[in-house]
Amino acid sequence: MRHTQRFRESGFTIAELAMVMVIIAMIVGVFSQMLISANQSASISKARVDINRSLHISMDAIETDVRQTLRFKVSGYDGYDTFAKDKSFPDSMQVWTYNRNTLILLQYATTMGRGSDTREIVYLRTPGFDCEANKTQQPKYKKIVIYFLKDGYLHRRTVYNDWIDTYGNLYTGAPANYFCMNSTDANKFKIRVRYSADSILATGVSEFKVDYYEGDVLVADQYSAPATSLRVLDAANGIKVTLKIQSPSGQVSDSQTLMIRKTNNL
């Protein structure tokens, strides 16, 4: 009897065991909450870094393109500057029209890609001229760069002029007979010309807004009649771009506004 009594006195009661379990559960809960908070903090920090990187990459690309721009456009095709059309739609006559979510830039085509220090303007070869002696008198080949927002993605699309000969027909001859280049370079450039290039600069974009300026003055009626005012942006020499990006969870967002002047130093 005495042995049994001592055994009971040295054990734990149900109440004591329950209290220990409650304490352990509280400790686990606290550490779990700390771990969750740490993970959330890390995710938010990563989202901020990713958003900041996307903002800078996008704005750097837009700034480089704007500075090389000949003029801002209200359409991807106006029958004068370029033959470029948006060929991603079944209807080949589908054209890009501008709005606050679209930026259309007319540029000279270059032998190298955007931002390269060795890029040179591409000249067309026309009858009656010697490219070696009179290259700068040849017409300059043009392209259109289009920034547009679709389903939260900021796209950058490059579309070159259709490959048209001096009579307005699709050119079928050797590239070196069309461009003022040697055969090797002309064949390489032909590959870029025949296919439009499309890249996605940023995801999770909730706002992409473009305003056009002549000096410090906002261009009047720049969005009121794009179909009838094809040259309304001729005087524009700068833009203000606003870009806003948010994380997939929606917890983090950031924006950047940049004023860019075109210099056309090519």
Side-chain angles (χ1 to χ4, degrees):
M1 176 69 80
R2 291 178 180 177
H3 175 74
T4 303
Q5 185 176 4
R6 284 197 300 270
F7 176 77
R8 288 176 177 174
E9 289 176 353
S10 63
F12 295 99
T13 65
I14 294 176
E16 290 172 335
L17 289 173
M19 184 176 295
V20 170
M21 292 177 66
V22 169
I23 293 173
I24 292 174
M26 291 175 62
I27 294 174
V28 170
V30 169
F31 277 102
S32 297
Q33 188 61 42
M34 290 175 62
L35 183 61
I36 292 172
S37 298
N39 287 336
Q40 288 179 342
S41 179
S43 297
I44 290 174
S45 297
K46 182 179 183 302
R48 291 190 188 280
V49 171
D50 290 342
I51 288 174
N52 190 262
R53 183 187 301 113
S54 294
L55 285 170
H56 281 290
I57 290 174
S58 301
M59 287 301 198
D60 283 347
I62 294 171
E63 182 174 10
T64 299
D65 281 331
V66 169
R67 295 196 187 284
Q68 297 174 13
T69 292
L70 293 173
R71 73 180 184 91
F72 304 109
K73 291 176 59 62
V74 301
S75 170
Y77 175 75
D78 62 17
Y80 177 75
D81 279 321
T82 179
F83 297 99
K85 295 184 286 290
D86 174 18
K87 300 176 183 177
S88 66
F89 293 90
D91 179 8
S92 61
M93 294 307 295
Q94 171 70 34
V95 298
W96 287 94
T97 55
Y98 80 129
N99 53 52
R100 293 174 73 88
N101 299 322
T102 307
L103 174 62
I104 306 175
L105 310 173
L106 181 70
Q107 299 178 350
Y108 290 134
T110 57
T111 53
M112 302 294 291
R114 177 178 57 86
S116 172
D117 292 334
T118 59
R119 68 185 189 275
E120 296 178 358
I121 293 176
V122 174
Y123 291 89
L124 292 173
R125 185 185 293 274
T126 59
F129 285 91
D130 179 2
C131 278
E132 293 302 322
N134 309 104
K135 184 163 73 170
T136 57
Q137 299 180 35
Q138 304 289 73
K140 297 175 182 178
Y141 198 55
K142 295 174 183 149
K143 67 177 180 180
I144 285 180
V145 177
I146 307 164
Y147 286 87
F148 62 98
L149 181 61
K150 183 178 181 182
D151 299 328
Y153 293 88
L154 179 62
H155 294 255
R156 179 186 183 273
R157 175 166 295 176
T158 304
V159 187
Y160 290 84
N161 291 18
D162 294 330
W163 221 24
I164 304 297
D165 63 18
T166 54
Y167 303 101
N169 302 316
L170 184 65
Y171 190 83
T172 57
N177 294 330
Y178 187 75
F179 304 112
C180 285
M181 302 183 192
N182 59 52
S183 297
T184 301
D185 292 339
N187 284 328
K188 291 179 180 178
F189 187 70
K190 173 188 173 182
I191 297 174
R192 287 170 51 196
V193 170
R194 294 306 296 268
Y195 303 98
S196 61
D198 206 354
S199 60
I200 295 176
L201 291 178
T203 61
V205 179
S206 57
E207 182 180 13
F208 176 62
K209 186 174 70 172
V210 183
D211 288 311
Y212 299 87
Y213 283 80
E214 181 182 359
D216 296 326
V217 180
L218 188 68
V219 175
D221 300 324
Q222 54 184 296
Y223 301 108
S224 61
T228 57
S229 304
L230 292 178
R231 308 193 73 87
V232 70
L233 300 181
D234 277 2
N237 57 14
I239 62 171
K240 183 172 72 174
V241 179
T242 300
L243 181 63
K244 184 177 182 179
I245 302 176
Q246 67 178 21
S247 63
S249 65
Q251 289 182 296
V252 183
S253 66
D254 199 359
S255 64
Q256 192 174 85
T257 298
L258 185 63
M259 191 75 182
I260 311 171
R261 302 293 185 190
K262 68 183 184 71
T263 58
N264 186 25
N265 56 357
L266 288 177

